[in-house]
Amino acid sequence: MLSRVSRAGLLAGVFFACVPVGALGLLSPPAQAQEALRPVVGKPLQKAQALAHQGNFPGALAQINIAEAARDKTANESFVIDEMRAAVAQQSGDFKSAIGADDVLLKSGRVPAAEQQRLLMAEASSYYQLRDYAGTIAAIDRYHKAGGASPALETLLIQCYYLQKDYVRAAAVQSAQIQAELRARQTPPEGQLQLLANCQLQSRDNAGLTHTMTLLVTYYPKPEYWAQLMQGLRANPNVPDRLQFDIDRLRLEVGLLTSTQDFMDMTEMAVQNGLPHQGLVVMDKGYASGALGRDPQAARETRLKALVEKTVAEKRASIATDEASARSQPNGNALLAVGYSYVDLGQYPKGIAVMKEAVAKGGLLNPEDAQLHLGLAELASGDKAAATATLQNVHGTDGAGDLAQLWQLRIRG
C-alpha cells in the first residue's frame, strides 16, 4: 500500500511573524483509499513519493501524470492521485496548482469533515503565499463553516484584513481573540495587542486605542506604552484642563517627565492648584535628574524654587484660617481644597478626614475629581488598600475614571 507524503509547513513566513511555523500532515486516507492500488497506478505514485522526499518535485509530478494516464481508474485511485498531486504542489511551492488540487479533493465527496478542515487550512495558506488575501479570507470562511477553530488561521485572517487596509474588521477579529484569551485567564501576547492598537490607530478608534494601550500597560508595563497612553490622555479633547496636573502627576510617577520645561510647567501647575509642596517635590526631582539647575535657565529655576518655598510656608501659616473659612461655606468645595492642602503638607490623617467631610457635605463641582484626589491622598499616606477601594469608585468620561484606573494599575505593579 502506498504511504502518504507529508504536507509542507503551513503558514510559513506569516506577516509580523505572529504565527509559528507548523506542520500539516496530508489527509489520513478514508476507508475507500485503503483499497489496494493497481501496479499501473501504485508504482508511479511510489516513485513520485520517493522523488518528492528527495526534493525532485518536477520528477514527482511527472510520475503522478503517468499514474493519471492509466486507463479505467477506480474512484479510489483517482482520489489518491489527486491527493498526491495536492501534496507535491504545495511542497514544491506551486500554490496555484495546490489550490486546484485541494478543490478537486474537497468536491470529491470522499473527504471526512475533519480532513476538510485540514485541506481548507492548506488552501488558505496557499492563497496567502500567492498574496491573494481575498482568496485567503474566503478559504478561512469556508474553514469556519466546516467547524474549524484554529488560532493560527484567526491570526492569518486578521493579517489579511490588515494588509487589505480593512482595519475595522482586523480590529474586530483581533479584539475577539484577545477577549477569549482574557476570559480563559490567559495573558494576551504582546504582538496581538500591538496589532490591535495599530488597527485602532489607523481607524481612529480613540476609545478602543485607549483601552488597548491600558491592556498593554497592564501586561507589558514598558515606558513607551505608558508614554503613548499619557499622550493620548493629554490630547483627548474630552479631558478638561483641570485634570492636566493629575495627568502630569502620573507621568512623573512613571518616569515620563524628563525635560526642563516638563518640570517647570508641572511646578507652576502645582502652585496654581494650591499644592505648593507638591511643586517643591517636582522641582527636587528635576534637580536630582539633572533636568533643572544645569541649563541656561538655572537662575530662573532658582528664583522659582525660592518662590515655591515661600508659598509652602505661607500655606502652612494660613491653613487653619482657611479651614475655618471653608467650614462656613454652604458646599464642600473649599473644604475639599483645604483637606487636599493638608495632605500636600504631609498631614495625611487630618487631610484625609477633612476631604471625606467635604465629600459628605456635598455640592461639589466635580465629585469624580474629589474621589480621584481622595484616592491619591490615601495612596500618599501609604494606605494602598484604601486608595484602591476609593479609586475603584471613580467613574465619568472626562478622564477622571481613566486616571483612577491607571493609578490602580500602578498600585498593583
Side-chain angles (χ1 to χ4, degrees):
M1 176 62 190
L2 181 70
S3 61
R4 324 306 286 174
V5 178
S6 296
R7 280 286 177 95
L10 179 63
L11 304 179
V14 167
F15 182 58
F16 289 152
C18 289
V19 182
V21 176
L24 179 65
L26 187 59
L27 294 172
S28 299
Q32 298 95 321
Q34 299 290 350
E35 301 169 13
L37 303 177
R38 293 177 298 154
V40 69
V41 173
K43 287 185 177 181
L45 290 185
Q46 285 179 327
K47 292 179 181 178
Q49 184 180 28
L51 290 167
H53 283 157
Q54 296 168 11
N56 185 350
F57 300 115
L61 184 59
Q63 291 298 319
I64 292 171
N65 290 335
I66 291 173
E68 179 70 40
R71 296 181 178 181
D72 302 322
K73 294 186 296 294
T74 66
N76 178 70
E77 288 172 336
S78 293
F79 180 86
V80 175
I81 290 169
D82 291 332
E83 197 176 25
M84 180 71 79
R85 188 182 300 279
V88 170
Q90 192 168 40
Q91 284 184 309
S92 67
D94 184 359
F95 299 112
K96 186 173 182 180
S97 296
I99 291 169
D102 285 337
D103 279 338
V104 170
L105 292 170
L106 288 165
K107 294 174 182 177
S108 69
R110 297 168 63 88
V111 182
E115 306 293 2
Q116 289 179 29
Q117 293 176 19
R118 297 174 69 192
L119 274 177
L120 288 167
M121 288 178 74
E123 192 165 298
S125 173
S126 295
Y127 274 117
Y128 186 85
Q129 297 295 340
L130 293 171
R131 299 185 180 182
D132 184 346
Y133 304 125
T136 307
I137 293 169
I140 294 174
D141 182 59
R142 292 167 63 197
Y143 169 79
H144 287 155
K145 290 177 179 177
S150 165
L153 281 198
E154 288 300 292
T155 300
L156 193 64
L157 178 61
I158 294 162
Q159 292 165 356
C160 286
Y161 282 136
Y162 186 93
L163 290 167
Q164 289 186 314
K165 298 185 178 181
D166 190 345
Y167 302 118
V168 173
R169 283 194 175 93
V173 179
Q174 184 64 90
S175 180
Q177 191 176 47
I178 289 170
Q179 291 304 313
E181 290 160 352
L182 291 173
R183 286 193 298 271
R185 298 186 177 182
Q186 298 172 355
T187 298
E190 187 175 8
Q192 289 184 4
L193 292 168
Q194 289 174 330
L195 182 56
L196 177 57
N198 199 7
C199 291
Q200 291 162 332
L201 180 65
Q202 296 289 348
S203 61
R204 299 182 180 179
D205 179 5
N206 293 328
L209 178 59
T210 297
H211 177 70
T212 302
M213 294 308 303
T214 301
L215 288 176
L216 276 165
V217 165
T218 301
Y219 295 106
Y220 307 95
K222 297 179 179 179
E224 57 265 35
Y225 296 148
W226 275 108
Q228 187 168 344
L229 193 52
M230 291 294 94
Q231 182 57 36
L233 274 175
R234 295 182 80 192
N236 188 339
N238 295 323
V239 177
D241 290 341
R242 69 176 189 273
L243 289 178
Q244 292 301 319
F245 177 68
D246 293 289
I247 293 173
D248 276 354
R249 289 185 72 176
L250 187 52
R251 292 178 66 222
L252 179 67
E253 172 70 17
V254 299
L256 296 179
L257 254 65
T258 56
S259 72
T260 299
Q261 197 61 48
D262 282 341
F263 284 100
M264 295 291 281
D265 287 347
M266 187 176 179
T267 300
E268 291 174 357
M269 280 194 291
V271 175
Q272 292 165 7
N273 280 271
L275 303 172
H277 189 267
Q278 180 66 34
L280 195 57
V281 170
V282 172
M283 291 205 77
D284 286 343
K285 290 187 176 181
Y287 279 110
S289 70
L292 299 181
R294 302 179 187 177
D295 61 289
Q297 301 184 65
R300 174 174 173 264
E301 292 153 12
T302 299
R303 291 193 299 271
L304 178 60
K305 186 174 183 181
L307 176 62
V308 174
E309 289 173 336
K310 179 182 177 183
T311 307
V312 170
E314 291 172 346
K315 178 63 70 173
R316 289 187 189 279
S318 69
I319 193 165
T321 302
D322 295 340
E323 180 183 354
S325 176
R327 290 187 183 283
S328 68
Q329 300 299 313
N331 56 56
N333 290 297
L335 193 59
L336 181 70
V338 168
Y340 211 12
S341 291
Y342 274 122
V343 171
D344 181 49
L345 295 174
Q347 299 184 45
Y348 301 117
K350 182 173 180 60
I352 291 170
V354 172
M355 291 181 76
K356 289 181 177 179
E357 183 182 344
V359 171
K361 191 171 185 178
L364 299 177
L365 292 174
N366 301 292
E368 299 301 333
D369 293 16
Q371 288 294 327
L372 171 65
H373 294 156
L374 177 58
L376 294 180
E378 291 166 333
L379 180 60
S381 75
D383 192 344
K384 291 184 177 181
T388 299
T390 300
L391 292 170
Q392 285 175 344
N393 290 320
V394 181
H395 305 292
T397 59
D398 65 353
D402 291 331
L403 282 166
Q405 184 180 8
L406 294 175
W407 274 108
Q408 290 175 69
L409 291 179
R410 187 63 181 171
I411 291 170
R412 290 198 296 270

